[in-house]
Amino acid sequence: MKIAVLPGDGIGPEIIAQAVKVMNALRSDGFPIELEYGHLGGAGYDAAGDPFPAATEQLSKESDAVLLGAVGGYQYDNLPRPMRPEQGLLRIRKGLGLFANLRPAMVYPELVNASSLKPELVAGLNIMILRELTGDIYFGQPRGIRTLENGERQGFDTMHYSESEIRRVAHVGFKAALKRGKKLCSVDKANVLDTSMFWREIVSDVAKEYPQVELSHMYVDNAAMQLVRAPKQFDVILTGNIFGDILSDEASMLTGSIGMLPSASLDSNNKGLYEPCHGSAPDIAGKDIANPLATILSVAMMMRYTFEREDVAQRIETAVRKTLQNGLRTGDIYEAGTQKVGCAAMGDAVVASL
Ligand code: NAD
C-alpha cells in the first residue's frame, strides 16, 4: 500500500500528522503501509516554485493512493493565477483522472446537537453524495466574456456531458449504492436543460445493469429543498459537477461540523485522492486546535475504496466513534459536559481506541 502524503498548507501538516499516527498504528499491526511525502499547493510553490511540482506529480502517479491535508493561505493570495495553491488541487485531480468525488454526510449520535437542523431530522443520517468532478460547465468550452453585435458585453460558459462521462460515474454510483442502502437518486435539471435530459437517459440505461438498486430522479431545486426538509430519504445522490458542488456543501452542514467530513476522489481503477472536505483554515493554523477527524476518516475511506479493506475502514471509523463516546471534542464540536482537547491529543485518543 504505497501512499503519497501531501500535507499542504495551513492546518494541513497538523491534521495529516494525526492521520499518519493512525496509519503507523496499522503498520505496527502488520499492514504493509509505505508512506512518502510530497508538496502541494503553497507548500509546492515554496519548495519548487510550482503548486503541483513535477516530483509530486510523479510520486502521486506511482502511488496507489494519495492523502492530502488542504491547500491555501493568505500569503499566496496575490500570486498570479497559475501559481495559486488551488491550481495545484485542480491539476492533481485532472492529472490523475479523478472523475468521481464521494462525500459521505453522516451524523454521529454524539454530535446530533451540532447540526443546524432539529435532532429528529438528522439523527442517524448517513447519505453519500457522488459528484462528477472533471466535466460539466466547469470545464466546457467555449467560455469567456465577449462583445455582442449591439456592443453589449456578455459572459458565457458551456455545459456538456458526453455519454462515456455519464456512464462511468453512474457505474460508480450504482456500485456504491449496492454496498449501502441500494437506493440511488440521480439529480438533474431535465425540465430545462438538454444536458440533463441526456444525463437522465444514460443513467436510466446504466440502471438496467443494477436491478437490485432502486433508481429515482429528482430536479436539483427540489433536491436542495428535500436535503433540509427530510434528508434521511436519501441513500446515494448521484449528480453532475456544478449541482454536486452546491448540494455536497449543503449536505455537509447537516452534520454540524466541517471538521468531521472526509472525501474520496476516484479514477476508473479506484485509485484515489483522499482529503477532508474543509480547507486549510489559516485562522487556526499552528495552534493545535484543528479537528483531525475528517482527515482520519479519509484514511478509512481509502481503506474502503482503494484497498477494498472494509474491515480496516470500519475499525478506524469505530475508533473515531469510541473517542467521541469517551467525550473528547476539539473546539469546533465542543459542547458543555464534554472534554475539550487539541488536535494532537485527539489523534492520540483515536490511536488508543484503535
Ligand atoms: P476553511 O474550510 O479552511 O475554513 C472555514 C472555517 O472552518 C474556518 O473558520 C476554519 O477555522 C474552520 N475549520 C476548517 N477546518 C477545520 C478543522 N479541521 N477544525 C476546526 N475548524 C475548522 O475555508 P476558508 O476559510 O474558506 O478557506 C481557507 C483556505 O483554504 C483558502 O485559501 C481556500 O482557498 C482553501 N481551501 C482549500 C480547500 C482544499 O484544500 N480542498 C478547500 C476549501 C478551501
Side-chain angles (χ1 to χ4, degrees), residues 29-106:
D29 282 357
F31 267 79
I33 291 179
E34 190 190 319
L35 304 178
E36 200 171 328
Y37 285 79
H39 299 295
L40 190 80
Y45 177 78
D46 290 339
D50 183 351
F52 186 36
T56 303
E57 183 172 2
Q58 192 181 343
L59 169 65
S60 309
K61 287 189 169 155
E62 283 168 5
S63 303
D64 301 309
V66 180
L67 182 68
L68 169 66
V71 302
Y74 309 132
Q75 68 272 43
Y76 309 109
D77 283 352
N78 294 321
L79 289 174
R81 184 179 287 272
M83 292 297 138
R84 302 270 296 264
E86 314 81 67
Q87 292 298 316
L89 201 54
L90 293 178
R91 281 167 59 199
I92 193 171
R93 285 176 179 162
K94 196 82 184 163
L96 296 181
L98 307 172
F99 64 88
N101 180 236
L102 290 159
R103 278 203 201 184
M106 266 184 72

Side-chain angles (χ1 to χ4, degrees), residues 136-138 140-142 157-161 193 195-196 242-243:
D136 206 351
I137 195 165
Y138 288 177
Q141 294 289 344
D157 295 271
T158 305
M159 174 179 269
H160 55 64
Y161 262 120
L193 298 171
T195 309
S196 281
I242 186 168
F243 300 151

Side-chain angles (χ1 to χ4, degrees), residues 11 70-73 86 89 258-259 275 278-284 290-291 332:
I11 59 170
V71 302
E86 314 81 67
L89 201 54
I258 197 156
E275 58 177 324
H278 58 74
S280 58
D283 52 331
I284 59 168
N291 184 346
D332 56 311

